[in-house]
């Protein structure tokens, strides 16, 4: 499992994994050499319950919850799971949905704030434009009444 952190697709550095796990870098390099020489088994065929993606976890959770209690034991063994994995998957998916909802709420709040700021700016510009139009109109009327001013 430690070597899986170093090998693709994770591709983490040996130093980083050594610090995280407490296994020396030299030991990790020896293990990598043994794996390359074929002296160590790299069994990727069985996926650990924690390594499953959320889509698969949801599928397994729905399948597992739909089974009768007497059928569930056999189904769990076939899928390499324990009953607590289903509870764990359910909690993980609940947390994901909750995090996603919070993310959307935060995004909506930020967008509403931006909208208010833009509306205030637009209102300010509309007032300035109306004021300029009024001044221009007054200037034209004054020019009609008193004539053009030579100083301008």
């Amino acid at each position: 499992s430690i070597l899986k952190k170093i090998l693709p697709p994770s591709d983490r550095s040996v130093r980083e994994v050594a610090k995280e796990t407490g296994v020396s870098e030299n030991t990790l390099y020896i293990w990598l050499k043994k794996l390359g020489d074929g002296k160590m088994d790299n069994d990727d065929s069985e996926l650990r319950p924690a390594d499953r993606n959320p889509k698969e976890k949801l599928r397994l959770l729905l399948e597992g919850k739909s089974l009768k209690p007497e059928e569930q034991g056999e189904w769990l063994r076939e899928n390499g799971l324990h009953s607590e994995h289903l509870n764990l998957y359910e909690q993980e998916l609940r947390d994901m949905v909750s995090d996603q909802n919070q993310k959307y709420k935060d995004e909506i709040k930020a967008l509403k704030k931006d909208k208010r700021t833009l509306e205030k700016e637009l209102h300010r510009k509309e007032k300035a434009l109306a004021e300029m139009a009024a001044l221009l109109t007054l200037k034209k009327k004054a020019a009609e009444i008193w004539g053009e001013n030579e100083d301008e």
Side-chain angles (χ1 to χ4, degrees):
S1 66
I2 294 174
L3 289 178
K4 285 181 183 178
K5 295 177 182 181
I6 299 170
L7 298 171
S10 297
D11 280 335
R12 293 172 54 195
S13 71
V14 173
R15 178 171 295 203
E16 180 184 343
V17 173
K19 282 183 180 180
E20 178 187 320
T21 60
V23 177
S24 73
E25 290 181 44
N26 290 337
T27 303
L28 292 176
Y29 282 117
I30 291 169
W31 289 354
L32 284 170
K33 186 174 181 344
K34 284 183 179 180
L35 184 65
D37 294 342
K39 295 179 182 175
M40 187 180 281
D41 186 27
N42 183 16
D43 185 17
D44 282 342
S45 61
E46 190 167 325
L47 192 61
R48 295 180 321 161
D51 293 338
R52 298 180 192 266
N53 63 33
K55 194 175 190 179
E56 189 173 359
K57 288 179 181 180
L58 177 61
R59 182 188 61 79
L60 289 169
L61 181 63
L62 293 174
E63 270 183 41
K65 295 289 183 174
S66 67
L67 295 173
K68 295 177 184 170
E70 55 271 2
E71 298 171 341
Q72 200 170 28
E74 184 180 340
W75 180 85
L76 288 170
R77 285 188 295 280
E78 287 174 4
N79 288 288
L81 298 171
H82 293 283
S83 58
E84 65 267 6
H85 288 127
L86 294 179
N87 296 331
L88 181 65
Y89 290 172
E90 186 174 4
Q91 185 60 44
E92 285 178 17
L93 292 170
R94 232 186 244 128
D95 291 345
M96 263 197 265
V97 168
S98 174
D99 290 347
Q100 195 72 14
N101 284 342
Q102 186 61 42
K103 181 180 148 189
Y104 287 140
K105 285 178 183 176
D106 292 344
E107 187 176 343
I108 288 171
K109 188 176 180 181
L111 289 172
K112 284 182 179 179
K113 184 178 178 183
D114 289 346
K115 179 183 174 236
R116 277 193 308 270
T117 304
L118 291 172
E119 284 175 344
K120 283 181 182 179
E121 186 178 338
L122 179 63
H123 185 66
R124 182 184 57 81
K125 288 181 178 180
E126 284 175 346
K127 284 172 70 175
L129 186 61
E131 185 179 338
M132 286 302 297
L135 287 173
L136 187 59
T137 305
L138 286 174
K139 184 177 178 182
K140 286 181 181 178
K141 285 190 177 189
E144 287 176 9
I145 295 172
W146 294 304
E148 288 293 322
N149 191 354
E150 294 177 10
D151 294 340
E152 291 181 10

